Amino acid sequence: MKPCAKRPKVILVPYPAQGHVTPMLKLASTLHSHGFDPVLVTPEFIHRRISPPVDRKTAEVITYVPIPDGSGATDGTSRDFFSVEKAMEDIMPVHLERLVSGLDVSDDGMALMVVDLLASYAIEVGNRCRVPTVGFWPAMLATYKLVTAIPELVREGHISDCGLPQKKSELRQKPTLTTHDLPWLIGPVNARQARFKFWTRTLHRSASLRWLLVNSFPEEEDEALIQCSIDHPMIIPIGPLTSPSPVTKNSSLWEEDDTCLTWLKNQEPNSVIYVSFGSWVSPMGRDQIANLAISLESTGRPFLWVLGPSWCEGLPHGFLERVRSKGRVVSWAPQVEVLQDGAVGCYLTHCGWNSTVEAVQCGRRMLCWPVAGDQFVNCKYIVESWRVGVRLGGFREREVENGVRQVMDDGEMGVRLAELKERMMTSKASSKAAANMAGFLEDLRRMAEDDSL
Ligand code: UDP
């Protein structure tokens, strides 16, 4: 890498989903504040949604570049995991390579590529184009460590070499993680095996990385999980990356229904149950939606529920009219602003990492219903280690009522939330994360000067 006279370019390649694009954009802003010129590369189906950005400041500092994903579709953003994988493996590499090699290093001063580990195809592109490439893990370090422990898990007989648990065995205590919490265990057996293959490929490719920037708080390293034999790449906790100002909008892939903010203003403090299962959870089924609807209604408390149009089909007949005075259902909410509103009493969440961080940032107690991926690990930390939430037993009336009561009546939970926020993101924690970032950039600069990249 040559040191550059003008702002060096950094190409950022997120995995194409809301929960990955959001933290990558935050990383792009951070790198801009360190003198870089960020270019965010996404497949067309995402690009159409985030460009032009809602936030003018973001538009001024980040260049958004689309690459073809082969779908040719002009509709919404929903893509399933396997079609995204296919696009990333078969279609996008050649386009990314063309883009990266078309940017002349001396003219454009390109210095670096940042690749979400779930978009690991881009690591190979970076290597082929001889661009220094750094990994980005947008979630908890604990989940990354679980993935890096795959060789040990197979060797010790916890899982088969196709990734299937051999038995329900404990992988660590406090929080208790078992073979059932592994992030690839989604769907039927063949889907689990295919996802496991995705992870082993990711692991294999990430071994060529020198650094991995992790969107978690530095102290999480002290709570480190399973020991694993892989010492590459070097782990650098730089998070959790939060919006520069708490009211800066996330770059939403869907249109936010702001009317729920007006509705919230008319609710009593600490009264509303906010319900959202993020952007990527597969449909839960009509029965579950119907049960949850009846249970929310029977709590008698106000609720705000993010429910996509296809999920709404599960609502009981006449539900929306019946609950009109108490409940509000929207297809996509301005989540950070919702969580900041003092009317929100608790958050029924799928425990996605971004949502977890946002809940902690806004001091909201969590009622946890993990569904897939890293959500089980996050949930264990929320409920067992940090004790800032309660795991919901199910969607039946008594289960929801008990869960809500438990989470709202715990007098100490507010104190623990404030302490966790302190450890995660207030001055000492964020200056450690900032120092880690500065140290990494210094390392990068030194190596550029030595020309050893
Ligand atoms: N989100 C939002 N509006 C909604 C629901 C979710 O803006 O109605 C945002 C939320 O603030 C978070 C992201 O979508 O930043 C979801 O990311 P997370 O990692 O929590 O879950 P995922 O969608 O990846 O499962």
Side-chain angles (χ1 to χ4, degrees):
M1 182 179 94
K2 300 267 183 308
C4 316
K6 48 183 179 175
R7 269 181 178 267
K9 276 205 165 46
V10 53
I11 301 217
L12 301 112
V13 186
Y15 178 79
Q18 178 77 69
H20 294 251
V21 171
T22 300
M24 193 62 105
L25 281 168
K26 289 175 183 163
L27 180 58
S29 308
T30 305
L31 287 170
H32 180 266
S33 68
H34 281 277
F36 284 87
D37 179 12
V39 179
L40 187 91
V41 181
T42 53
E44 277 160 352
F45 78 92
I46 293 282
H47 179 80
R48 273 192 292 274
R49 289 284 169 153
I50 54 174
S51 180
V54 278
D55 176 0
R56 205 161 49 84
K57 193 149 184 295
T58 312
E60 282 165 14
V61 301
I62 301 170
T63 309
Y64 291 69
V65 177
I67 51 172
D69 53 84
S71 69
T74 52
D75 60 336
T77 53
S78 298
R79 297 288 186 282
D80 73 38
F81 180 84
F82 295 110
S83 63
V84 169
E85 182 188 18
K86 194 164 164 34
M88 291 196 301
E89 292 304 315
D90 300 346
I91 314 283
M92 287 154 61
V94 63
H95 296 288
L96 181 62
E97 190 159 343
R98 202 169 292 153
L99 178 88
V100 174
S101 43
L103 292 171
D104 187 308
V105 177
S106 52
D107 281 0
D108 293 38
M110 185 171 55
L112 183 66
M113 228 165 111
V114 181
V115 175
D116 187 325
L117 284 201
L118 275 85
S120 65
Y121 79 93
I123 299 175
E124 298 200 318
V125 173
N127 291 344
R128 280 201 294 276
C129 296
R130 302 182 152 277
V131 178
T133 303
V134 54
F136 179 55
W137 183 255
M140 277 193 85
L141 181 58
T143 323
Y144 172 73
K145 292 224 169 169
L146 259 192
V147 174
T148 57
I150 285 176
E152 278 87 356
L153 297 179
V154 173
R155 208 169 37 246
E156 289 165 13
H158 292 292
I159 56 172
S160 69
D161 52 13
C162 301
L164 302 179
Q166 301 296 69
K167 53 186 184 308
K168 184 172 181 183
S169 49
E170 214 170 85
L171 302 175
R172 82 159 258 169
Q173 297 169 319
K174 214 92 182 60
T176 339
L177 292 179
T178 74
T179 40
H180 289 191
D181 297 316
L182 294 167
W184 52 87
L185 301 179
I186 303 171
V189 168
N190 55 350
R192 291 169 174 223
Q193 290 175 333
R195 283 173 188 266
F196 180 70
K197 224 164 149 185
F198 173 93
W199 282 114
T200 48
R201 192 199 303 128
T202 302
L203 198 54
H204 174 72
R205 287 173 176 164
S206 58
S208 70
L209 295 168
R210 195 190 293 258
W211 303 279
L212 180 68
L213 304 177
V214 178
N215 188 24
S216 187
F217 56 116
E219 234 191 69
E220 200 216 317
E221 235 181 341
D222 305 335
E223 304 177 13
L225 190 71
I226 301 163
Q227 291 306 318
C228 59
S229 54
I230 297 174
D231 55 3
H232 227 243
M234 185 199 294
I235 289 169
I236 309 173
I238 52 143
L241 295 158
T242 47
S243 302
S245 128
V247 284
T248 300
K249 278 184 174 301
N250 276 340
S251 214
S252 261
L253 303 188
W254 293 276
E255 199 176 332
E256 294 168 344
D257 184 341
D258 287 337
T259 59
C260 59
L261 296 176
T262 321
W263 178 84
L264 274 176
K265 293 277 166 276
N266 294 320
Q267 307 304 317
E268 297 291 321
N270 274 323
S271 65
V272 174
I273 308 171
Y274 171 58
V275 186
S276 165
F277 300 104
S279 64
W280 190 245
V281 162
S282 11
M284 291 179 167
R286 284 165 165 262
D287 289 352
Q288 297 237 56
I289 297 292
N291 283 343
L292 180 56
I294 292 163
S295 301
L296 283 172
E297 185 181 3
S298 75
T299 61
R301 298 173 196 251
F303 63 87
L304 170 60
W305 190 356
V306 178
L307 200 60
S310 60
W311 293 28
C312 276
E313 289 163 15
L315 292 178
H317 186 68
F319 176 79
L320 291 175
E321 293 70 37
R322 213 166 51 233
V323 297
R324 186 161 304 190
S325 64
K326 274 275 176 206
R328 182 102 194 160
V329 175
V330 294
S331 61
W332 192 251
Q335 177 160 303
V336 177
E337 285 153 283
V338 166
L339 288 172
Q340 279 176 323
D341 197 298
V344 174
C346 70
Y347 172 21
L348 170 46
T349 173
H350 69 312
C351 307
W353 182 236
N354 292 288
S355 297
T356 304
V357 169
E358 289 156 8
V360 175
Q361 187 183 10
C362 301
R364 300 293 160 222
R365 299 150 186 243
M366 285 169 270
L367 199 48
C368 302
W369 184 258
V371 183
D374 62 342
Q375 297 153 17
F376 295 97
V377 174
N378 301 341
C379 172
K380 292 275 173 78
Y381 275 84
I382 294 167
V383 173
E384 289 183 29
S385 296
W386 306 327
R387 294 165 56 227
V388 294
V390 166
R391 182 157 180 166
L392 193 63
F395 286 169
R396 279 190 282 265
E397 282 179 47
R398 179 143 358 116
E399 292 162 327
V400 172
E401 183 55 47
N402 279 347
V404 171
R405 199 161 335 108
Q406 250 182 295
V407 86
M408 301 289 273
D409 289 354
D410 184 335
E412 296 298 307
M413 200 175 269
V415 178
R416 290 194 295 272
L417 259 170
E419 283 167 3
L420 179 62
K421 180 173 175 180
E422 182 81 26
R423 285 172 51 212
M424 250 194 201
M425 55 187 84
T426 37
S427 53
K428 205 167 137 216
S430 55
S431 40
K432 181 86 181 41
N436 285 351
M437 178 58 121
F440 154 67
L441 291 172
E442 188 45 47
D443 226 12
L444 188 73
R445 241 167 247 137
R446 220 184 14 254
M447 297 186 88
E449 277 157 20
D450 296 350
D451 230 2
S452 53
L453 284 175

